[in-house]
Amino acid sequence: MPTCPAPVRPLDAAAADELTHAAAKLLTEHGSAISPGLLAALPEACVALSEEVRHALRPVDTADGLFVLRGLHLDDAGLAPTPGHWSSVGDAGAVWDVVLLLVSALMGTPIAWDGQQDGRFVHNIVPSPGHESEQTGASSTVLLTPHTEDAFHPGRAHLLLLCCMRNHDNIATTAASIRRTALSDEDVEQLRRPVVPILPDDAYEQAQQFAGRPAPVPTLFDTPEGPTMRFDPAYTPLEEADAAWREAYRRLEDELARVSVAVSLQPGDVLVVDNDIVVHGRVPFKARYDGTDRWLKRASVRVPGRPTRPAAEANEHGYGQAALTAWAD
């Protein structure tokens, strides 16, 4: 698997300074990265940014389905120790929360979840004691299986943003685009069928208790721009599917593994992933819990009016989980 062959969009020093200064100004004016007033101020702040910045921060627009925004300067020495759990982050790195919110707002509408990380619009992804072997961002010792983010929910993000705060060990994020695979027509036809559901992952304890019947969903869906995908094998009851569908699903897994790339983010890098095209995961690592472990910040973005989802998704219950938007779409 190659390391960091992902397309890179560079920000020059002037554009990087403009973006970070805008974030710092918003944080000073509103006092907190989770302030409702700051969220409401994001669209106006985006309009004030230069055309150069706004062009660099357009959504993903290639079949790779991802890019690394590079050029933002983050000083590790001035950063707080990596926390042992998202709930203990407090306001550490708050200006980077706002940077990520600005990038998100330039690409669409930031979203959050009422059942995850207290409804925050920027999540902190850190290894946590006791969660090492889970299939969540808090894990470490296991491969985080490639998946589309929040695949269980019809209101999932169109775009996923990961900002690197610290990564001393060069731990790689994996990514693979459905548009780089070579599946047979027969396999594609199988995977267009809604055969089994995708269940909520372990980060959504409330949703896992939902009493409604899980709805089968298609894995692949056609759009005018090309195929899109809804995929999370760790939370898909594959044993409930027929043999032909399972075999096609296995071949899709093999193809995604074949075209997968490994992206080792450095502090200040922002990985932008098209969540309809690309699955992402993470290689295993050994957490030290000494304040120097890998630390990412994550934001989710919905692009209003984007025709990349089957119409039937509108009828799904989402396991009772509500998606929150920074402002009305």
Side-chain angles (χ1 to χ4, degrees):
M1 185 185 297
T3 302
C4 205
V8 172
R9 283 195 196 165
L11 271 183
D12 64 25
D17 285 347
E18 181 183 354
L19 185 61
T20 52
H21 287 159
K25 181 174 183 288
L26 281 169
L27 188 59
T28 298
E29 290 173 349
H30 297 279
S32 169
I34 62 173
S35 162
L38 187 148
L39 291 173
L42 287 171
E44 184 176 347
C46 288
V47 170
L49 292 170
S50 68
E51 176 59 30
E52 179 185 4
V53 171
R54 285 187 278 122
H55 178 71
L57 302 184
R58 67 194 183 279
V60 182
D61 55 7
T62 71
D64 295 292
L66 74 161
F67 67 85
V68 176
L69 179 70
R70 181 161 292 159
L72 294 166
H73 177 68
L74 193 158
D75 181 14
D76 182 87
L79 190 62
T82 301
H85 192 265
W86 68 264
S87 61
S88 60
V89 172
D91 61 357
V95 71
W96 292 95
D97 289 35
V98 186
V99 167
L100 204 51
L101 286 169
L102 279 169
V103 176
S104 299
L106 283 163
M107 295 185 180
T109 304
I111 66 170
W113 301 93
D114 62 358
Q116 193 177 30
Q117 296 206 12
D118 289 341
R120 294 170 182 260
F121 283 83
V122 176
H123 295 169
N124 288 277
I125 309 301
V126 294
S128 299
H131 299 269
E132 288 86 352
S133 61
E134 294 179 353
Q135 283 294 313
T136 68
S139 68
S140 52
T141 60
V142 296
L143 174 74
L144 184 61
T145 305
H147 61 285
T148 49
E149 190 75 0
D150 300 320
F152 74 94
H153 202 283
R156 64 196 178 280
H158 293 106
L159 303 172
L160 177 72
L161 282 63
L162 297 172
C163 178
C164 180
M165 307 293 287
R166 177 175 288 130
N167 191 14
H168 291 174
D169 304 300
N170 293 316
I171 297 158
T173 299
T174 62
S177 169
I178 185 62
R179 295 183 184 173
R180 297 300 188 196
T181 60
L183 290 171
S184 70
D185 291 344
E186 292 78 8
D187 284 343
V188 170
E189 202 59 40
Q190 284 289 340
L191 296 172
R192 286 176 183 152
R193 295 194 293 135
V195 174
V196 290
I198 299 175
L199 304 175
D201 66 54
D202 289 340
Y204 293 92
E205 295 180 10
Q206 222 175 15
Q208 289 181 332
Q209 307 306 314
F210 186 72
R213 180 179 175 83
V217 298
T219 301
L220 300 182
F221 176 67
D222 283 328
T223 73
E225 292 76 30
T228 59
M229 174 173 46
R230 187 176 183 181
F231 184 82
D232 194 347
Y235 293 95
T236 300
L238 302 174
E239 70 282 356
E240 297 178 8
D242 59 83
W245 189 92
R246 287 199 309 271
E247 289 169 6
Y249 196 92
R250 178 185 56 77
R251 284 188 285 269
L252 172 60
E253 289 184 290
D254 291 345
E255 272 296 293
L256 290 170
R258 182 182 67 81
V259 302
S260 184
V261 297
V263 184
S264 183
L265 297 173
Q266 300 305 306
D269 284 351
V270 180
L271 175 63
V272 181
V273 172
D274 188 315
N275 196 44
D276 285 329
I277 299 174
V278 170
V279 294
H280 70 282
R282 189 215 62 240
V283 301
F285 67 99
K286 174 70 173 174
R288 292 180 293 271
Y289 306 126
D290 63 354
T292 66
D293 283 321
R294 176 180 184 260
W295 178 7
L296 305 181
K297 286 183 180 285
R298 178 179 69 199
S300 298
V301 179
R302 187 179 293 161
V303 181
R306 197 183 198 211
T308 53
R309 309 273 169 84
E313 289 192 8
N315 300 320
E316 293 180 30
H317 50 58
Y319 299 87
Q321 189 67 203
L324 312 173
T325 56
W327 53 82
D329 285 350

